[in-house]
Structures are given as structure tokens and as C-alpha cells.
Amino acid sequence: MKIGMCMFLWTTAVSKKHESLLRDIKATGFDGVEIPVFSGTPDDYTKLGELLDRIGLERTAVSAMGDPAMNLISADGGTRKVGIDYMRWAIDCSAALGAKTLSGPLHSTLGAFSGSGPTAAEKKRSVASQRAIGDHAGKKNVTIGLEALNRFECYLLNTMDDLSEHVDAIDRPHIKAMYDTFHANIEEADPIGAYTRNRRNIVHIHISENDRGVPGRGHIPWKETFSAIRKSGYDDWLTIEAFGRSLKDLAAATKVWRDFSESPEAVYRDGYKHIKSGWKRAGA
């Protein structure tokens, strides 16, 4: 098991100016960081990867698609092509970074709604888009971890059962699923069962408290969660995802209107201890 920290708490564009923060994250004990991919070139991410190598941090990547002009489930073929091209770019950047996984709600436009649930036609278009993306991801040795989001942030895929069924329909080895404790807490009647039933497709996990704050201070059933993850044989990333108000656009997208912790340091330092102790107890 590896413990990661998502950089969304501070920025959507990690650079050398974050070196002191990255070094403190490393000193805290983290194995790696999750790097947002929203802008730049593959060369930029190559340089960032070199910095992370010097610090001794491994990395994963995360992105999202908030622009309706690149909606992967649109009825308009040109719009879907823009989305596929964006994903190919994000995959290229992730590969240059040295990330083996690129996760997030990379199936539809974040925050865009049709006024009803997903249609069969939208699901069909999604399968076609994801197959094209998966073929490119395979060439770059990057695995996409599609994320089920709560109903207030997207409508295509809200539950792990629906997500896993969709991944099976896509049928590409580099298109898989991720599990997020925050979204599961909202959408799943049985968050633990939702993880266990769909373990076969899960390649990445976000550790996120019910209020998006410090893991361990809320009401997520952590004992049962860590036990289920460990018993399932999962031995990859447990990455803390938390949010604050420092980035206005991201705060608006994630509906963050107040601070959830006394400091960012409390999130990653206390969060790290929470994962370490929870994982240890789950194996006792």
C-alpha cells in the first residue's frame, strides 16, 4: 500500500514554486503526490517529474473536464472529438510525468446536467469515446481510473455498480474505475459493499472525509473501509483528497464555502497518521 496526497488542496498547476511543500509532504512520510493535469505541455510534466524524482516522491495524475465544449457523451461528434483529444493530451502529460494512473470524472462534463438521468444513447456514446481513449492510454502505459461522482456534480455515473458495469461494457484494459469515500458516502446505501462488489475494476482509491476535510475527523466508517480494502488484496494508492477555499474556481466546482480544517498541514499530517494507523489496525 502507498499513501498519496492530492495537490488539489493548494493548486491545479504544480511547479517548482511548490518544492518546499512537496519536501514537507515527503518528510511527513508520503510515498507520492497526485498531480493535477489541466494545462501545460508534456515537456512541462517531464520537468516536474524530474523534480519529484529528486525529492523522492512517486506520482499519480488527476484531471476533470468542466467545459461542455469537450463533452464525451455529447450528441455532437465534433464535441466528442474535442473531448477525446483533450484526454489524449492529458494521457501524454501523465506519461511524461511518470504517472501510471490518471483518475477523475473523466467520462462526462463536471457540473453539466441534462435535467434527467443518463440515456442509453449517452451511455453508448460514452463507450465509444472511452474505447478511443483507452486505446491511446494503452500505447502510453497509463491506466484511466474513472470516478463515480455524487448526483450534485454529475449525472452519468453516480454509483460504483453503474460505474463498474460501464467499465465492463467499455472493455479496455486501460479503462478502469476508482473508489472515492466521499462520493460513496453520499450515493451508496452500503459504501463498503459498493467497494467489495466492484473491487475487480478498482485501480485507485481516494481517501476523503464526508466534509472534504481532515480524514478521520468525520463520520466515514473508516474501520470497516480500511478492513474491506485490505481484505480485498488491494495494495496500491490510498490518496488523500481534500479541498479548501484557496482556489476560487475549484472551490466553486466542489461547493466549498468554508474551511474544513485549521490548516492545510493538519490535513496531510493528521491524514497521513490516520491512514497509517487505520491500515495497521485493519491487518491486526
Side-chain angles (χ1 to χ4, degrees):
M1 182 272 293
K2 293 181 284 190
I3 302 178
M5 182 67 209
C6 182
M7 297 300 290
F8 272 154
L9 187 57
W10 299 274
T11 184
T12 56
V14 181
S15 68
K16 187 172 175 53
K17 71 180 182 180
H18 298 100
E19 182 171 355
S20 61
L21 170 61
L22 292 165
R23 289 191 179 278
D24 194 58
I25 290 172
K26 173 63 177 179
T28 300
F30 283 86
D31 300 290
V33 287
E34 189 152 271
I35 300 296
V37 176
F38 286 95
S39 62
T41 67
D43 285 346
D44 295 327
Y45 289 92
T46 297
K47 293 174 183 176
L48 178 57
E50 291 168 352
L51 172 63
L52 295 174
D53 285 340
R54 290 195 295 273
I55 295 171
L57 286 168
E58 297 180 52
R59 73 290 323 222
T60 59
V62 63
S63 191
M65 306 173 75
D67 185 352
M70 57 175 66
N71 191 354
L72 291 167
I73 63 172
S74 171
D76 178 68
T79 300
R80 295 196 304 276
K81 183 181 183 303
V82 173
I84 292 169
D85 287 344
Y86 173 87
M87 283 300 302
R88 286 173 174 155
W89 164 85
I91 289 164
D92 291 348
C93 292
S94 299
L97 176 69
K100 297 297 184 184
T101 59
L102 169 62
S103 299
L106 301 168
H107 43 70
S108 55
T109 303
L110 182 65
F113 297 91
S114 66
S116 62
T119 65
E122 287 173 324
K123 289 285 187 75
K124 185 176 180 180
R125 291 194 288 267
S126 176
V127 167
S129 293
Q130 294 299 329
R131 285 177 176 173
I133 293 164
D135 290 342
H136 187 73
K139 294 174 184 176
K140 297 292 183 174
N141 196 28
V142 173
T143 297
I144 307 298
L146 297 179
E147 182 178 17
L149 260 58
N150 69 77
R151 76 194 80 170
F152 308 108
E153 295 184 46
C154 86
Y155 71 97
L156 184 70
L157 297 166
N158 300 132
T159 70
M160 290 304 298
D161 286 348
D162 284 347
L163 172 60
S164 196
E165 181 182 16
H166 198 54
V167 167
D168 288 341
I170 294 165
D171 193 27
R172 289 295 186 274
H174 290 270
I175 301 290
K176 293 295 183 181
M178 67 163 289
Y179 178 79
D180 184 297
T181 56
F182 169 82
H183 296 294
N185 176 69
I186 295 173
E187 291 296 336
E188 306 289 357
D190 176 11
I192 308 304
Y195 168 81
T196 303
R197 285 193 304 275
N198 300 294
R199 166 65 185 93
R200 70 188 185 280
N201 282 324
I202 294 171
V203 296
H204 193 60
I205 294 176
H206 272 170
I207 299 298
S208 189
E209 193 50 87
N210 67 282
D211 65 352
R212 301 276 207 182
V214 182
R217 295 187 184 179
H219 68 233
I220 298 291
W222 291 113
K223 179 181 178 181
E224 296 82 358
T225 298
F226 286 127
S227 179
I229 293 170
R230 187 153 188 171
K231 287 179 181 178
S232 75
Y234 181 88
D235 194 30
D236 216 308
W237 288 99
L238 299 180
T239 295
I240 295 173
E241 185 185 50
F243 293 95
R245 295 189 297 163
S246 60
L247 299 172
K248 289 185 178 180
D249 289 346
L250 189 57
T254 54
K255 310 299 185 287
V256 172
W257 316 126
R258 66 185 190 277
D259 293 322
F260 299 129
S261 64
E262 63 274 24
S263 68
E265 289 79 13
V267 176
Y268 68 85
R269 292 173 184 167
D270 290 359
Y272 176 81
K273 294 174 184 176
H274 169 67
I275 295 175
K276 287 288 285 188
S277 61
W279 191 259
K280 183 177 180 180
R281 287 194 297 270

